[in-house]
Amino acid sequence: MSVPTIDLIQKYNVPAPRYTSYPTVPLWEDDLTPTSWRGFVQKAYNSFGEEDGITLYIHLPYCESLCTYCGCNKRITKNHAVETPYITAIMNEWDAYLNLLGEQPKLKGIHLGGGTPTFFSPESLQEMLSFIINSSLPMDDAEFSFEGHPNNTTREHLQVLFGLGFRRVSYGIQDFNEEVQKAIHRIQPFERVQEATDVAREIGYTSVNFDLIYGLPHQTTETIAATFEKVAELMPDRIAFYSYAHLPQSFPAQKSFEQFLPKESEKRNLYEKGKEILAGMGYVEIGMDHFALPRDPLYIAKLTKTLHRNFMGYTTSPSRILIGLGNSSISDVYYAYAQNVKEIDLYKEQIASGHFAISKGHCMSSEDIDNRNLILQLICNQQASWNFCYYSLLGKRNWEKLKTFREEGLIAFDASGIEVLPAGLPFLRNICMVFDLRMQARNQERFSFSKAI
C-alpha cells in the first residue's frame, strides 16, 4: 500500500467534489423546463431503456431523532401518521413516469435512501414497493438495496424487503466509540448492530455494507482502531469510509461539537489508519471512500471494469437512467439532471396537482458528456482514453498540472490516455478536478460549450 507523503497531503488538501455527478450540483445551469425534462426522459428511455433498464432512487426523509453530524435532507418526527401521505405521493410520482413512458419499463435496480427508510413500517414499504415492482419488469440481474438504521431495522423489515427482492442492506454505523456516538447523537450499541447484521445474513441477504465516518468529534487513531476491531467481528461485505463534512452554516446542529473536531492533519491520519487496518482485514480499495471484500460483486465489477458511479456512490448497476422519487431526490437521464423540491409539503402538493416536483436541473452539453465519461472512467477504473477534443479544451495550465502529477508519480499518460497510479489514489479527486471545466469556468477560466444535443 502506497502511503502519501506529508508534503503531498498538505499540497492537495483542498476542497474537492466527490463527483457523483458531472457537472456537480452547484454548477448546474438550471436551464431545465418541465417540457424539456419530459423530452429528455423519453429520449433516454428510447435510447437506453431496452438495454439498461431504469434504476430508481427513492428518498424517504423521516427520522425519529436528529443525528447532529448529518448533512442529509431529513425531517425529524415521531409521528408515523406521515407515512401514508408520503408513500401515496411516491406512488403517484412513479405513476406519472409510467404514463410518460407509456409502458412497463425494465427495472434495473431500486435503492431506498434517507432520512431513515426503516422509519417507515414494513407494511408501508411493502405497499409502495409492490406497486412499483408490479408495474415494472424487473431484470434478471436487478439489484435492490436499502439503508437501515440498526436501532430500528427489525426482522420484519428485513423479511418483507427480502421477499420483494432486496438482497443488499447498508447500515449507518459511523463509529462504535461511546463518546463519539454521544457527541453526534447516534447511540447504537454494538450488540444491536451485531443483531441487525446477523439477522440479515440469516434471512439471506448476500451483501451487508457498513457506513463509517472519519473526522468526527473526539476521534483519535486509537478510537478508530477500536472501532475497526468491532467491525472485524462482523466483517461486512462492503465498507464506505467517508470523510465528515463540517457545514455548520447549512446544518446548525454541527456547531454543538465543533470544538472537539480533529485538526486537518489529525483527520488525515484517521483515514490513513483506517485504510491500513482495512487492508490488513482483507478489504480492497474500490475507489474513493469505498472498500470491499474480494467475494463482493463490487470488487468483481472493479476487476471486470463494469463499475459505475452515480448519486448513490459506487454501484454494479451501470444504468444510464436513474429516476429519483421523493423530495430532494435527483434524477440522471444521461442528457439531463433534475432535482425535486426539498420541502416535503411542497413536494406532495406538486405531485398531487399532477406536476413533476422539479426545482432545478441541468441540460448536458456535448462537452459535459465527454467530461463526465472521462471523470467517470478515472473514478471507477483509474484509467481513461482521451477524447480528441481534450488537446484543445484542456489548455496549457491544465496540461501543466497533469505533468506535475506525473512528475510526482501520481499518474501516467501518453497520446492515448491517462492512468492513475497507486500513489495517486488518495488524490483521485484532485486529478479529476483538472477535467472539471465547469468548475474552472466558474473560476473565470475560458472554455465554451456547444449545445449540440
Side-chain angles (χ1 to χ4, degrees), residues 279-335:
M281 291 164 61
Y283 289 90
V284 180
E285 188 172 8
I286 300 301
M288 293 189 300
D289 312 319
H290 285 64
F291 301 81
L293 292 173
R295 66 174 181 250
D296 191 84
L298 202 65
Y299 173 72
I300 297 169
K302 181 177 177 64
L303 287 183
T304 57
K305 298 189 183 303
T306 56
L307 198 63
H308 185 60
R309 187 168 174 85
N310 57 28
F311 288 101
M312 297 170 285
Y314 286 103
T315 174
T316 59
S317 177
S319 174
R320 283 166 283 190
I321 308 175
L322 170 66
I323 298 294
L325 304 178
N327 73 302
S328 80
S329 62
I330 297 177
S331 298
D332 172 4
V333 295
Y334 189 80
Y335 302 111

Side-chain angles (χ1 to χ4, degrees), residues 294-449:
R295 66 174 181 250
D296 191 84
L298 202 65
Y299 173 72
I300 297 169
K302 181 177 177 64
L303 287 183
T304 57
K305 298 189 183 303
T306 56
L307 198 63
H308 185 60
R309 187 168 174 85
N310 57 28
F311 288 101
M312 297 170 285
Y314 286 103
T315 174
T316 59
S317 177
S319 174
R320 283 166 283 190
I321 308 175
L322 170 66
I323 298 294
L325 304 178
N327 73 302
S328 80
S329 62
I330 297 177
S331 298
D332 172 4
V333 295
Y334 189 80
Y335 302 111
Y337 296 111
Q339 183 172 26
N340 281 350
V341 295
K342 294 183 178 181
E343 299 81 4
I344 295 174
D345 294 335
L346 180 58
Y347 162 75
K348 291 188 294 185
E349 289 173 9
Q350 293 195 2
I351 294 299
S353 64
H355 303 293
F356 286 121
I358 293 170
S359 63
K360 61 181 177 181
H362 179 82
C363 305
M364 296 288 281
S365 71
S366 57
E367 282 83 5
D368 283 339
I369 291 177
D370 285 341
N371 291 355
R372 175 177 62 186
N373 289 343
L374 187 140
I375 289 173
L376 187 65
Q377 289 304 310
L378 284 181
I379 289 176
C380 292
N381 302 322
Q382 285 78 65
Q383 61 183 33
S385 299
W386 297 127
N387 179 294
F388 73 92
C389 66
Y390 275 103
Y391 284 95
S392 59
L393 283 179
L394 275 185
K396 181 178 179 181
R397 184 176 176 183
N398 283 329
W399 281 111
E400 290 301 321
K401 291 179 182 177
L402 290 177
K403 290 175 183 177
T404 299
F405 284 138
R406 180 168 62 183
E407 292 167 1
E408 293 167 336
L410 306 183
I411 65 171
F413 65 87
D414 55 24
S416 61
I418 178 174
E419 178 183 3
V420 179
L421 301 177
L425 283 178
F427 309 106
L428 188 52
R429 281 190 256 179
N430 303 86
I431 296 166
C432 288
M433 286 171 68
V434 174
F435 306 100
D436 193 336
L437 301 186
R438 285 280 182 181
M439 179 182 291
Q440 294 169 30
R442 184 189 64 182
N443 295 330
Q444 307 306 312
E445 300 255 355
R446 292 183 59 192
F447 82 110
S448 64
F449 289 105

Side-chain angles (χ1 to χ4, degrees), residues 53-66:
I54 290 176
T55 296
L56 294 180
Y57 169 76
I58 304 175
H59 188 71
L60 301 171
Y62 296 105
C63 301
E64 286 196 344
S65 62
L66 176 65

Side-chain angles (χ1 to χ4, degrees), residues 155 158 162 167 169 171 193-210 231-238 283 293 295-296:
R155 177 180 287 272
L158 290 163
F162 184 84
R167 296 295 181 268
V169 55
Y171 291 128
V193 176
Q194 183 177 37
E195 180 184 2
T197 302
D198 289 346
V199 170
R201 286 172 168 162
E202 174 193 327
I203 288 173
Y205 284 80
T206 55
S207 183
V208 176
N209 176 80
F210 283 1
V231 171
E233 293 184 39
L234 303 178
M235 292 299 287
D237 305 273
R238 302 179 187 179
Y283 289 90
L293 292 173
R295 66 174 181 250
D296 191 84

